[in-house]
Structure formats: C-alpha cells, structure tokens
Amino acid sequence: MGSDAVEPPMLRRARSVSAPCFAGTSPSGSGNPGAPLANRDHDLLAEPQRSEIAAKRRAYLECGLAVLRDLARVAARTASSSSSAEGSGPVSTFTSLTRHLDDPARVRALLQIESRLVEHDFPPQLVVENTSYCNLRCIHCSHREMQRPPRHMARDLWDKIVGEVGRESPDCELWPTFYGEALILGEELWSRLDGAREAGCRNLVLNSNGTLLNRNDNIEKVLCSPLRRFILSLDGLARSTLERIRAKAKWDEVYPAAEELCRRRLERGQRYPVIVAQFSVMKENAAETEDFRWYWQARGAEVKIRPMLEWTATGSVRTETIDHEGTLRITCPWGNNTMAIHQDGAVVACAVDYEGLFTIGNVRGMSVRHAWKVLGERLRRPQREHRWRDIPAVCRGCGDWQVAGAEYDDREIAGARPFWWSSPGTPSQSP
C-alpha cells in the first residue's frame, strides 16, 4: 500500500493488535507460538492469564470482522463507482470543473436561486470573527495574504452580539468564526459558546480545519458543546492531497481525530452536533470527490460538496470555474443572506470580504439589527435591483456569487441544515 493510500481505520487497528493464541497454540511469548498446548498445561495457567488470552482472541476476531466489513464496503464502493460512471449514483455536478456560466444547467440553477432570495428583518446568518488567527496556509484561501493584523475579538463585544441575537432572533444561524481557526482560542472558545447558549442562541455552527482536534480534549468538548453543526473543512482524502491543499496540516493528525469524533458521536447515539465533512472542489482534488463522500458517509458524517471560491478575487486566489468576463450576473446570495462582523466589530460586505474593503459601521456603536438595515440600503438593495454600478467596489470585481448552491446528502437531520436549505434537488439560496 503506497504512502498516499487511505488504509481503513479498522485495518490499522488490526495491525496494532498482537496476534493472540487460539485454542491449540501456545500463548504469545511462551515457547514456540505454533506448538500444541496440552489441556493440562492450559489448566495450570493462572486465571488472569487465561482471561488475558481470551480477551486477545476476542479482540482479534472483532478486528478481523471489522476489516472484512471495511473490505466489503470498498468492494461495494468500487461497484457503485462503475455504476456512477454509467449515469447512476451520487456524482457531484462540480467535479467536471466546467466554468459555471458555460453550463446551461448551472445557469438555470443560479437564476432559480436568485428568484428565491427574500429580504430579512434580521440577518438569518451571522458570521462573527472571534479570531482572525489561523495555523494553516491553504492554497485556496486568501488568509495567507491578509494584510490586516490577526486579533481575537474582545469578550465583551462577543457577549453584546450574542445577547442581541438571543433576544431578537434565537434561531439565527450564528457562526463564531470564519477567517480564523476557532480552536486556537482554547478554553475561551467553549466558554464563549456556552455564553451564547445562555444568551438564548439556539443555532450555533462552528467550522474548523481539524488540526487541533486531537489536543486539549477537544473531541469531547465538541460533543459536549451547544453546537448544532461542526464542520470540518478537509478538501482531500489522500494524504498528499490534503497536505498540498491545506499547507501545514498533517493527515496523520487530522484524519484519526476526525474519525474518532465521528465514532464517539455514533457510539453515544448523539443527534447534535451533526459532523459535516466539507470538500471544496478544485483541480487538485476533483478526482477524489466521490471517494471522499463515501469515506465520510461510511463514518457517520454528513458530507458537503462545494465549488472553490476566490475570496472576492482581490488577492491571488483564482479558479478557472469562475467567469469574470460574462454578461450574466445575479444578486449575490452571500450579500443577501449573511452579515459578517470582523474581530474589531466592523461590519463588512460579506463573509468573503476578508480585508474589510467595504464597511458600514461598527457594532460597538450600533445594534446588529440597525447594522443589517444599513447594509441593506448600501449593498442588498442595489444588488437586488441589478444596479451593478452602485454596488460596492469589492462586489463589482467579485465572482463568488457563481459558487452558490452547495451539495448536501439526501438524508437530513431535523434542524441541522443551513437556514436556506430546501428539499434535495432544489437549488439552494446560498453557498
């Protein structure tokens, strides 16, 4: 098996279990492992030794059965892959890497998404930058070239925001981070999430790169948190793919921890938080899309497949699937549905305006509701009225509206989908 091959976890566990001695063979370390063991000799063993031998036998058999189950799933996956190639099975529409505006079906989906956008009195999705620090340098993210200095949000500002959300719109989809890695905050993160719950916030969604999941008992803290969804942005199945795309991440740290998180959740029969394995499709990983989907579905995670974006195209990140020359443009679902707040309280254009090139004020001096209203006049209204010359400059050069419509599993857990989610097969309203 090559270094990039993904070995089933159960097979790894089977390799780590010492081969036990079955009936008729001597226990490991006592003479020739293959020599017959007389019943009288076995009877002379102390009870703890006999119990240890029996335990090893059971462990070996359990691991062997688990390996067989993994191999059976691999065989089934191979068969379904062949079927998918003939037109059946779940195949992402994004793996062809066709430019969005060159695909008639994709254009129809985008126009349908726009037709379903509505104005909201309060932001249905609020993205708050509790930290702008990140420990990776992903090739498809502009954080690595961000000019503003990284900072943590002051606790009193977070408390002010969640206090208003809890009073005004408890079911607002509240994201405690977006440009940074939240687990960097350590114990403060879990304290802030508990504070949001106590303030009345009922729909907390956290995304992470998973690199710190195996530290400081974070797996247990995720499972005991008030989170509705926990999204792991992975973007690769093979070791080389993940480590190339998510530079500085280590497959051997991220994947075992993510698998253990899924295992504990299933073992306990927990409904929330739903664990979501996210995959942004790009040329570096498109060939792994369906294997990634199968791998994480088999471990009890929900899978989200989305196209790569360009983070407003104000940095160096680019994808061939976004068209900057076409004449078609729709109202941006990001701008229509999401309000983003930087760590200093600045309200920016949307969740991908990473430098804060457009701001309408600061929530230290205004309410979330009022900031949303101002943002509506200056950004959402000209977008919906297609007054493209009047939209903010950062929006005019941005093509990220073309990536709207992430793909989710057909199965669904009540209350665990984004606010814009509708039935499977219907284009969604937002990325």
Side-chain angles (χ1 to χ4, degrees):
M1 183 173 290
S3 62
D4 286 341
V6 179
E7 186 178 48
M10 290 300 185
L11 184 55
R12 291 199 300 275
R13 188 192 304 174
R15 292 186 190 280
S16 68
V17 175
S18 300
C21 50
F22 291 95
T25 62
S26 57
S28 176
S30 57
N32 182 356
L37 176 66
N39 288 337
R40 66 177 182 277
D41 294 331
H42 186 272
D43 292 341
L44 292 175
L45 291 174
E47 178 59 33
Q49 290 176 292
R50 292 200 296 270
S51 298
E52 181 181 358
I53 291 171
K56 285 187 176 181
R57 288 173 182 166
R58 287 195 298 271
Y60 188 82
L61 290 171
E62 288 172 2
C63 286
L65 290 172
V67 169
L68 290 175
R69 286 194 293 269
D70 258 4
L71 292 175
R73 285 196 290 266
V74 170
R77 174 60 191 162
T78 301
S80 67
S81 294
S82 300
S83 175
S84 295
E86 298 173 1
S88 62
V91 178
S92 171
T93 60
F94 305 128
T95 56
S96 66
L97 299 177
T98 303
R99 287 204 305 180
H100 298 290
L101 301 187
D102 287 346
D103 182 350
R106 185 82 178 114
V107 170
R108 288 194 297 273
L110 289 170
L111 291 172
Q112 186 173 354
I113 288 170
E114 182 185 42
S115 71
R116 296 171 57 233
L117 296 176
V118 298
E119 177 65 10
H120 301 272
D121 292 335
F122 196 88
Q125 185 180 65
L126 183 61
V127 185
V128 183
E129 188 183 65
N130 268 278
T131 183
S132 53
Y133 284 96
C134 187
N135 58 344
L136 299 186
R137 294 179 61 83
C138 302
I139 64 173
H140 60 314
C141 179
S142 290
H143 189 282
R144 56 189 165 85
E145 52 195 10
M146 187 173 73
Q147 296 300 304
R148 61 188 178 94
R151 296 283 189 275
H152 297 325
M153 175 175 280
R155 178 61 186 265
D156 68 307
L157 181 55
W158 167 253
D159 290 342
K160 176 182 184 294
I161 293 168
V162 299
E164 181 178 354
V165 173
R167 293 190 306 272
E168 300 285 334
S169 185
D171 291 314
C172 167
E173 188 178 302
L174 180 60
W175 292 56
T177 188
F178 54 120
Y179 298 135
E181 170 51 46
L183 296 182
I184 288 175
L185 286 165
E187 290 300 320
E188 178 64 18
L189 169 66
W190 311 111
S191 175
R192 291 188 185 204
L193 292 178
D194 287 341
R197 172 175 54 187
E198 292 165 5
C201 302
R202 297 193 289 247
N203 193 3
L204 293 162
V205 181
L206 183 67
N207 62 308
S208 171
N209 59 38
T211 56
L212 303 177
L213 193 56
N214 63 345
R215 303 182 190 181
N216 304 318
D217 204 25
N218 281 329
I219 292 176
E220 196 63 25
K221 289 169 184 173
V222 168
L223 293 174
C224 294
S225 73
L227 292 171
R228 185 67 63 87
R229 281 181 287 148
F230 181 66
I231 302 173
L232 284 162
S233 297
L234 301 174
D235 303 325
L237 182 59
R239 176 182 285 103
S240 60
T241 306
L242 180 138
E243 293 181 358
R244 179 185 178 191
I245 292 173
R246 296 198 155 264
K248 298 178 69 174
K250 298 298 181 185
W251 194 99
D252 289 333
E253 295 178 353
V254 174
Y255 261 65
E259 290 174 15
E260 176 63 13
L261 174 67
C262 292
R263 187 194 67 76
R264 289 191 202 177
R265 177 178 171 273
L266 290 177
E267 185 179 71
R268 300 174 188 185
Q270 282 186 231
R271 172 172 286 191
Y272 305 117
V274 171
I275 309 303
V276 180
Q278 179 170 274
F279 190 91
S280 295
V281 182
M282 61 196 84
K283 62 184 179 182
E284 289 83 1
N285 65 8
E288 295 183 8
T289 306
E290 299 311 319
D291 287 328
F292 179 93
R293 187 199 305 272
W294 166 80
Y295 187 92
W296 286 108
Q297 284 178 343
R299 285 151 181 80
E302 184 165 34
V303 177
K304 176 183 177 183
I305 308 293
R306 59 176 299 170
M308 176 182 164
L309 52 83
E310 294 182 335
W311 296 92
T312 69
T314 53
S316 64
V317 176
R318 293 289 186 278
T319 172
E320 295 86 348
T321 59
I322 289 180
D323 185 355
H324 289 278
E325 306 298 329
T327 57
L328 173 68
R329 185 169 191 132
I330 68 166
T331 302
C332 178
W334 295 73
N336 190 82
N337 293 335
T338 304
M339 177 170 154
I341 303 174
H342 278 184
Q343 54 81 23
D344 61 355
V347 179
V348 299
C350 71
V352 296
D353 181 11
Y354 65 97
E355 288 288 12
L357 298 177
F358 172 82
T359 62
I360 56 90
N362 193 297
V363 291
R364 277 204 174 276
M366 64 174 69
S367 67
V368 171
R369 182 180 291 278
H370 181 65
W372 179 247
K373 180 179 179 181
V374 175
L375 197 60
E377 290 300 317
R378 296 185 56 187
L379 187 148
R380 296 195 304 279
R381 183 187 294 276
Q383 282 265 1
R384 285 198 306 274
E385 295 176 356
H386 288 194
R387 292 189 282 113
W388 306 127
R389 292 183 180 180
D390 296 333
I391 64 176
V394 68
C395 299
R396 290 198 292 270
C398 178
D400 288 333
W401 53 271
Q402 296 172 40
V403 310
E407 298 172 352
Y408 282 83
D409 294 349
D410 288 341
R411 56 198 174 92
E412 180 177 355
I413 297 176
R417 286 293 169 81
F419 77 92
W420 43 262
W421 178 256
S422 55
S423 60
T426 302
S428 51
Q429 300 177 30
S430 181

